[in-house]
């Protein structure tokens, strides 16, 4: 049954596992889910006046696209040739930077996800950050503007430092010995897709770091992690023990489904399996259109690449290889708009069904 995001949030909250991993294609609604989940958790406990009056951070910490709103470039300084990343006033960065003095740890994490020569500099009251780039022979280029990807990595490094501290505090069982009681009632840490600007090496490192952090957590804090990246998902899936895994789907009516998945992304929701599902649904419902030839060719290309065939057409039936190659090439590479009619002929529909079945039956799809 298709559900609203609030229904999905309620489903996640009922889960007893330490970690829940959610895969979703870009544009499905991962960030919206993180917001819906936050609103659902904060709305709980209406009979508990103390918890109901608590700020959002007392119940849930979340990293998503809205976290970036705490940081913005000073445009006035930019016009004067200076580049400052302003930190909007908030209790999180004040606690990390002013109270806990974690600026050097943030720098260390940031450089591990970018490169060692790029150095952030916090000003005295921790309200802004400037950047420099170390060169050869002890030379340094000051006052540089970093890329959007590097900026995202810095914001993630601050959040990662925060959850490190929170987990360390909650691991202290005697509340009176904690340096703060701000997080005594924290229930969830929600991490939404922190991998958008990382290469594969840094992406794997990030997944390992998060898995180690979750494993080190001895309290009852639960973790929800969403991603669009199969590699990131795979590393987390194989590194964590107490977990449930899902794929989030969105439908044309605006509703959603959270489907439980067993195994890593290679067994569950790699892109070629998504193409396979779309084609199977089109054949089953007799809703084949011209663009399905493009999807079919893409599926053949990915299968041929995985199996080591030099050309995707090598997977076609031998007795009709030349004819079918021309059919697929023609229908998937039309260049004139007046050639493109969405409704294919019956023989063309039969060709899609025939080639899909041929691929699935002869090349060991499960």
């Amino acid at each position: 049954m298709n559900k609203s995001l609030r229904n999905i949030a309620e489903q996640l909250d009922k889960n007893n596992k330490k970690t829940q991993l959610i895969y979703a294609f870009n544009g499905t609604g991962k960030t919206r889910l993180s917001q819906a989940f936050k609103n659902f958790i904060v709305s709980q406990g209406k009979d508990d006046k103390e918890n109901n009056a608590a700020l959002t951070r007392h119940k849930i910490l979340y990293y998503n696209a809205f976290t970036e709103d705490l940081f913005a470039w000073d445009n006035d300084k930019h016009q004067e040739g200076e580049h400052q990343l302003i930190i909007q006033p908030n209790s999180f960065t004040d606690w990390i930077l002013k109270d806990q003095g974690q600026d050097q740890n943030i720098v260390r994490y940031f450089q591990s996800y970018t490169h060692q020569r790029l150095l952030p500099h916090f000003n005295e009251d921790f309200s802004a950050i400037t950047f420099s780039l170390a060169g050869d022979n002890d030379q340094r280029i000051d006052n540089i503007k970093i890329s959007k990807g590097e900026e995202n990595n810095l914001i993630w490094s601050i959040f990662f430092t925060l959850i490190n501290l929170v987990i360390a505090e909650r691991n202290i069982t005697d509340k009176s010995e904690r340096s703060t009681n701000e997080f005594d009632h924290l229930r969830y840490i929600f991490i939404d897709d922190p991998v958008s600007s990382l290469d594969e090496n840094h992406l794997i490192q990030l997944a390992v770091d998060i898995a180690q952090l979750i494993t080190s957590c001895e309290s009852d804090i639960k973790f929800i992690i969403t991603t669009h990246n199969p590699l990131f998902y795979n590393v987390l899936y194989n590194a964590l023990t107490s977990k449930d895994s899902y794929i989030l789907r969105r439908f044309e009516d605006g509703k959603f489904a959270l489907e439980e998945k067993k195994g890593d992304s290679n067994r569950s929701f790699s892109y070629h399996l998504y193409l396979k599902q779309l084609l199977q649904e089109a054949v089953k419902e007799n809703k084949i259109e011209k663009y399905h030839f493009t999807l079919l060719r893409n599926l053949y290309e990915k299968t041929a690449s995985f199996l080591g065939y030099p050309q995707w057409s090598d997977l076609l039936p031998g007795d009709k290889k030349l004819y079918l190659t021309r059919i697929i090439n023609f229908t998937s590479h039309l260049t004139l708009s007046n050639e493109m009619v969405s409704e294919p002929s019956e023989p063309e529909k039969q060709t899609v069904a025939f080639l899909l079945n041929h691929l699935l039956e002869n090349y060991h799809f499960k």
Side-chain angles (χ1 to χ4, degrees):
M1 182 178 65
N2 299 346
K3 302 177 179 180
S4 68
L5 285 178
R6 184 175 177 84
N7 296 142
I8 299 292
E10 185 176 2
Q11 178 181 343
L12 293 172
D13 186 44
K14 290 179 179 179
N15 191 294
N16 293 320
K17 288 293 178 66
K18 184 75 171 178
T19 308
Q20 297 179 80
L21 300 178
I22 302 174
Y23 182 91
F25 293 102
N26 273 335
T28 302
K30 298 184 299 296
T31 301
R32 290 169 56 196
L33 175 61
S34 69
Q35 292 297 104
F37 187 80
K38 178 205 71 173
N39 294 335
F40 175 79
I41 294 301
V42 173
S43 69
Q44 303 305 297
K46 294 182 178 179
D47 296 327
D48 185 343
K49 294 182 179 180
E50 181 181 353
N51 282 343
N52 190 46
L55 297 175
T56 299
R57 66 176 181 271
H58 289 172
K59 294 184 178 182
I60 178 172
L61 291 177
Y62 61 94
Y63 173 88
N64 61 18
F66 292 96
T67 311
E68 299 174 11
D69 294 342
L70 295 176
F71 303 83
W73 291 97
D74 188 330
N75 290 326
D76 292 334
K77 292 285 187 181
H78 175 69
Q79 296 298 325
E80 300 171 4
E82 298 182 26
H83 304 293
Q84 279 192 354
L85 186 62
I86 304 300
I87 304 175
Q88 306 297 333
N90 68 93
S91 58
F92 287 142
T93 55
D94 284 348
W95 183 66
I96 298 169
L97 295 168
K98 296 179 181 179
D99 298 344
Q100 299 295 321
Q102 291 291 312
D103 51 311
Q104 292 307 306
N105 276 334
I106 292 171
V107 171
R108 179 169 59 85
Y109 288 132
F110 171 70
Q111 290 182 326
S112 71
Y113 297 128
T114 53
H115 47 85
Q116 295 297 316
R117 294 191 174 191
L118 185 58
L119 182 63
H121 306 273
F122 293 88
N123 65 358
E124 290 186 2
D125 63 356
F126 298 105
S127 63
I129 312 170
T130 57
F131 299 87
S132 65
L133 184 64
D136 298 327
N137 302 322
D138 296 326
Q139 295 180 342
R140 192 175 81 175
I141 306 173
D142 292 315
N143 190 35
I144 66 171
K145 190 174 190 294
I146 60 175
S147 69
K148 184 62 177 178
E150 291 164 340
E151 179 186 337
N152 291 341
N153 284 335
L154 176 71
I155 297 170
W156 164 254
S157 299
I158 293 173
F159 183 83
F160 187 67
T161 303
L162 170 64
I163 59 178
N164 262 289
L165 290 174
V166 169
I167 289 174
E169 290 291 331
R170 284 291 298 271
N171 282 349
I172 301 173
T173 54
D174 188 344
K175 295 182 180 180
S176 64
E177 295 183 1
R178 297 173 183 171
S179 64
T180 179
N181 298 113
E182 285 281 310
F183 306 104
D184 287 358
H185 300 288
L186 187 71
R187 296 177 57 198
Y188 287 99
I189 294 176
F190 197 120
I191 301 173
D192 173 33
D193 231 357
V195 302
S196 59
S197 55
L198 295 173
D199 59 36
E200 287 193 354
N201 289 333
H202 289 117
L203 184 149
I204 292 172
Q205 178 186 343
L206 173 60
V208 170
D209 289 344
I210 292 176
Q212 290 177 341
L213 192 61
I214 293 174
T215 302
S216 73
C217 181
E218 301 171 0
S219 68
D220 58 357
I221 296 175
K222 295 179 182 178
F223 298 81
I224 299 174
I225 304 172
T226 65
T227 185
H228 74 286
N229 189 288
L231 177 59
F232 180 71
Y233 182 97
N234 282 356
V235 176
L236 282 173
Y237 182 90
N238 291 299
L240 296 170
T241 52
S242 179
K243 62 181 182 297
D244 276 338
S245 54
Y246 307 93
I247 181 169
L248 178 68
R249 299 193 186 279
R250 184 181 66 182
F251 302 97
E252 292 184 359
D253 61 358
K255 295 296 181 67
F256 297 80
L258 195 65
E259 301 174 5
E260 187 173 1
K261 292 293 181 182
K262 299 295 184 183
D264 60 24
S265 69
N266 293 326
R267 297 183 181 180
S268 300
F269 42 77
S270 290
Y271 187 62
H272 68 285
L273 296 180
Y274 180 61
L275 294 176
K276 169 178 168 286
Q277 177 187 340
L278 290 178
L279 289 164
Q280 286 177 313
E281 290 175 353
V283 170
K284 180 180 179 181
E285 298 174 8
N286 194 28
K287 293 182 178 180
I288 298 173
E289 298 185 17
K290 284 289 181 68
Y291 74 86
H292 285 107
F293 278 94
T294 303
L295 300 185
L296 182 64
R297 174 182 171 131
N298 200 334
L299 182 59
Y300 264 81
E301 288 172 342
K302 292 183 180 301
T303 306
S305 176
F306 179 79
L307 296 176
Y309 286 84
Q311 295 181 336
W312 64 267
S313 57
D314 291 339
L315 303 184
L316 294 170
D319 57 336
K320 297 182 178 181
K321 183 180 297 184
L322 183 59
Y323 166 73
L324 293 170
T325 300
R326 288 178 176 175
I327 289 292
I328 294 180
N329 282 339
F330 176 73
T331 51
S332 61
H333 288 85
L334 291 177
T335 57
L336 300 178
S337 59
N338 62 352
E339 293 176 338
M340 181 56 73
V341 179
S342 63
E343 180 70 22
S345 65
E346 283 303 318
E348 288 175 331
K349 291 182 180 181
Q350 293 171 11
T351 299
V352 171
F354 169 72
L355 289 178
L356 178 62
N357 289 333
H358 170 78
L359 188 66
L360 301 185
E361 291 175 1
N362 290 277
Y363 295 99
H364 305 290
F365 279 80
K366 291 186 178 180

